[in-house]
Amino acid sequence: MSGLDAILSNPAYHDYLAILKGARNGFVYGVKVRFPHALIMAILFGRGDWNTRLKTIYRATKQHALNLAKFVSLYKTLLLVQKKMNGGKERSFDTFIAGLIGGYVVFGERTAVNEQIVLYVCSRVVASFLARAKTPYSKTTHAPGRPLPPDATQFSIFAALCWGAVMWLFNERGETIQPGMFNSMTYLYRDSERWNNLKTLLWHNT
């Protein structure tokens, strides 16, 4: 075994290397998620020539990837610091503190990309308060931390309230809706009200 392999497999260095691996995974995941999204948005709603649109795609992808890399590495670093301060023991609220600080430092600046990420996370946090459905594996083979689907009745009510609220907001208080969602809703609900001929009815918008 080489010296490098010995370091990589040494448990003493695991927590430190996990920070590096976390940054790597955050960057890769950010690219995978943001690039196709930015590309589609540029095709559907982009303005200017393609040189301008490509620069927008690059900036959004870069910011998403770097911010995820920063957050994961900072989060893991803060967990490690707290663990060492507590004599090598992990506490349940360590994750909240690390996430709180990391979220403020990395995602606290209001940008279009950060806003989308924070709203995505917020929606998942809110949805987590729905009761979980009873499934065959929930009492037997359910592993700790394995996601369970929400209760069907509560989810139906939750979905109805979400869609009712967002459609009212779009019509009455559009300025409060996140820009990306506003553009999507405009394309779906308002652009579909206008056409001049068969081509603009079925092929593209006016």
Side-chain angles (χ1 to χ4, degrees):
M1 179 180 294
S2 67
L4 180 58
D5 288 337
I7 293 175
L8 295 178
S9 60
N10 190 332
Y13 300 112
H14 176 271
D15 290 344
Y16 302 99
L17 294 174
I19 296 172
L20 176 62
K21 183 65 180 289
R24 178 266 179 199
N25 282 6
F27 184 85
V28 171
Y29 185 80
V31 171
K32 287 183 176 181
V33 170
R34 177 56 57 172
F35 177 75
H37 176 270
L39 179 62
I40 294 300
M41 296 300 288
I43 293 173
L44 293 178
F45 308 114
R47 298 177 180 178
D49 57 24
W50 267 103
N51 185 48
T52 301
R53 297 188 192 192
L54 288 174
K55 289 180 180 178
T56 301
I57 294 170
Y58 171 77
R59 286 196 299 268
T61 303
K62 177 183 177 183
Q63 183 181 13
H64 195 142
L66 288 178
N67 278 7
L68 277 183
K70 291 175 185 177
F71 179 82
V72 176
S73 57
L74 178 57
Y75 172 78
K76 285 179 171 288
T77 299
L78 291 171
L79 284 181
L80 180 58
V81 170
Q82 292 179 93
K83 181 179 178 180
K84 287 186 174 297
M85 291 175 62
N86 196 41
K89 297 179 181 180
E90 297 178 354
R91 299 163 298 183
S92 61
F93 57 84
D94 286 351
T95 53
F96 177 78
I97 294 174
L100 187 76
I101 297 174
Y104 181 81
V105 172
V106 179
F107 295 108
E109 179 185 1
R110 195 276 165 191
T111 67
V113 172
N114 281 354
E115 185 177 355
Q116 289 173 356
I117 295 173
V118 171
L119 290 177
Y120 174 87
V121 172
C122 178
S123 68
R124 270 52 184 177
V125 172
V126 172
S128 73
F129 289 99
L130 293 174
R132 300 294 99 182
K134 297 186 183 301
T135 64
Y137 65 79
S138 61
K139 294 182 179 180
T140 57
T141 61
H142 176 62
R146 180 178 177 181
L148 289 170
D151 176 79
T153 300
Q154 290 196 24
F155 180 80
S156 296
I157 297 172
F158 179 66
L161 290 173
C162 285
W163 278 101
V166 78
M167 297 312 300
W168 181 85
L169 287 170
F170 176 64
N171 194 59
E172 303 295 334
R173 298 185 60 198
E175 72 278 3
T176 65
I177 296 180
Q178 191 271 335
M181 187 171 191
F182 183 85
N183 289 337
S184 298
M185 296 182 74
T186 298
Y187 184 83
L188 290 170
Y189 305 110
R190 291 183 179 165
D191 291 352
S192 59
E193 295 287 331
R194 301 190 300 270
W195 63 87
N196 297 325
N197 49 44
L198 184 62
K199 183 177 181 180
T200 54
L201 175 67
L202 299 177
W203 185 247
H204 66 78
N205 289 326
T206 55

